[in-house]
Amino acid sequence: MKALLVEKFGGPLVLEDVPIPQPGPDEALIRVKACAVDQFDLTIRAGKFAMADKLPVILGHEFAGVIEAVGTRVTTVAPGDRVTSTLYLTCGRCRYCLTGRETLCADFIGYVGIQTPGAYAEYTTVPAVNLVKLPDPIPFPEGSVIANAIGTPYHALTRRARLQPGERVIVTGAGGGVGVHALQLARMMGAFVMAVDIGDEKLALAGELGAERIFDASTGDFSASARQWTGGEGTDVVLELVGTATFASSLKSLGRGGRLVIIGSHTGETLTASPQAMIANEWEILGSRNVTKRELAEVVALVAAGRIRPIVTGRYPLEEAETLHQRLRRQEVVGRVVLEP
Ligand SMILES: [Zn+2]
């Protein structure tokens, strides 16, 4: 099969013919129909992710496809099924797994596309327990972005921020792959959204998707604009997709009782917050990790019903991956782009 390999960290993506991976007894072999490209891929190929220490690696953790074959012990899915996959390999036995919080697995095994051969290839294998069926109305490119680009903000807004109708929420990085779906989810939940990002195309899309206020972050601190938007009160929630670079503005935008949920951090290692301000305002600063399988099933249902629109702005062959990575590195990708191996 054709596959893109990272043979050395910091090196190019190399297109090669490699053997089709064979599914283990609890795994499924999947013909990849679409694989989304995201910032995490850049981190892994740069050698900046500790659990990705073996080479060569085939990237690709957000995908959709058709099951080609299953291992001897698999009974939950069958050849011909249309599927997408959760991203984490978890033990299934610890108390977090057993209580439906498997993204916190105490015996975390690793990541699809790192510890398994990824989907920048014609075929991939994953544990069958990771798979969620995709209903027919959802095309493969749109299906490939559900588990991460929609699932991650879904978990953050519903379970972590506990966003309520009528609340006001800021989404930083609102025009990127996760942001465009966070914005739609917040609107669906009855909240008002202020979109923060850089670039006319991204900001225009945020407006089309219903952001009530748009802020071009190339002009700097957005907290004064947020205060003005909320009549001085500050916002109820900030969904932080950027991390260190926007954290100070995010915190200054937060109103009394506000919740700041961090789901992205590609701009630095540390955050600074005043404990006095946290006490006085009863702020909550929360982390949010990906999406559980149960929540993924909820998101698939929302997408199938047309309540959330997956934003896929380009479909490319494997040969274009390097160009896509360059655009991603320059923060030029609006929504998600996918490879069709
Ligand atoms: Zn576990």
Side-chain angles (χ1 to χ4, degrees):
M1 67 167 185
K2 278 198 299 183
L4 278 175
L5 273 65
V6 176
E7 294 178 328
K8 78 175 199 245
F9 293 124
L13 296 169
V14 184
L15 190 62
E16 283 190 24
D17 257 312
V18 300
I20 294 175
Q22 293 304 302
D26 297 309
E27 293 182 335
L29 173 69
I30 296 145
R31 174 71 179 93
V32 178
K33 295 291 191 177
C35 178
V37 169
D38 80 358
Q39 289 285 347
F40 190 38
D41 295 326
L42 301 183
T43 306
I44 296 166
R45 72 178 283 197
K48 291 178 181 165
F49 192 69
M51 281 192 87
D53 56 357
K54 290 196 180 65
L55 290 170
V57 62
I58 302 173
L59 300 170
H61 52 276
E62 293 182 73
F63 66 90
V66 178
I67 295 186
E68 184 89 3
V70 295
T72 51
R73 289 202 290 257
V74 174
T75 56
T76 50
V77 287
D81 285 350
R82 306 169 84 252
V83 290
T84 187
S85 173
T86 56
L87 278 62
Y88 292 171
L89 306 169
T90 54
C91 80
R93 292 182 298 270
C94 72
R95 74 184 175 98
Y96 301 98
C97 284
L98 291 174
T99 53
R101 295 179 293 166
E102 72 272 11
T103 61
L104 300 176
C105 176
D107 291 311
F108 192 68
I109 299 162
Y111 297 79
V112 168
I114 299 177
Q115 276 69 35
T116 66
Y120 280 30
E122 290 176 297
Y123 293 88
T124 188
T125 54
V126 293
V129 71
N130 282 59
L131 297 171
V132 171
K133 289 182 193 173
L134 276 184
D136 283 332
I138 305 179
F140 291 112
E142 282 74 10
S144 74
V145 308
I146 296 176
N148 194 21
I150 310 180
T152 298
Y154 181 77
H155 175 71
L157 291 169
T158 61
R159 285 0 186 240
R160 304 298 287 146
R162 307 174 311 280
L163 185 65
Q164 302 299 312
E167 289 194 316
R168 286 172 293 218
V169 52
I170 293 175
V171 178
T172 64
V178 174
V180 291
H181 300 108
L183 203 164
Q184 290 185 62
L185 287 162
R187 292 257 302 148
M188 186 192 76
M189 294 169 77
F192 303 99
V193 182
M194 171 168 162
V196 174
D197 211 322
I198 291 172
D200 292 344
E201 209 183 336
K202 288 182 176 179
L203 295 170
L205 178 59
E208 276 169 42
L209 294 173
E212 194 178 69
R213 195 177 187 92
I214 309 275
F215 188 88
D216 182 350
S218 61
T219 63
D221 182 6
F222 50 83
S223 61
S225 178
R227 290 273 161 192
Q228 192 185 43
W229 176 50
T230 55
E233 281 187 358
T235 65
D236 302 292
V237 171
V238 177
L239 192 63
E240 181 57 84
L241 275 63
V242 177
T244 302
T246 45
F247 185 74
S249 280
S250 293
L251 212 51
K252 275 165 68 185
S253 304
L254 210 54
R256 292 166 189 275
R259 292 92 74 199
L260 192 158
V261 184
I262 302 165
I263 60 173
S265 110
H266 54 89
T267 54
E269 300 288 317
T270 55
L271 303 171
T272 305
S274 151
Q276 291 297 347
M278 288 196 62
I279 293 166
N281 293 289
E282 289 198 343
W283 281 336
E284 296 177 58
I285 299 180
L286 305 157
S288 183
R289 191 172 199 208
N290 196 233
V291 63
T292 66
K293 191 168 169 181
R294 174 193 165 149
E295 292 158 2
L296 177 55
E298 294 169 5
V299 180
V300 167
L302 290 170
V303 172
R307 300 280 294 277
I308 297 295
R309 178 163 66 95
I311 306 289
V312 175
T313 55
R315 299 157 55 176
Y316 302 89
L318 284 181
E319 289 80 358
E320 296 290 319
E322 193 68 68
T323 310
L324 295 180
H325 278 207
Q326 286 166 17
R327 286 179 49 210
L328 207 56
R329 206 172 279 123
R330 294 193 298 263
Q331 311 283 337
E332 290 171 5
V333 174
V334 180
R336 270 286 193 264
V337 289
V338 303
L339 298 169
E340 295 181 309

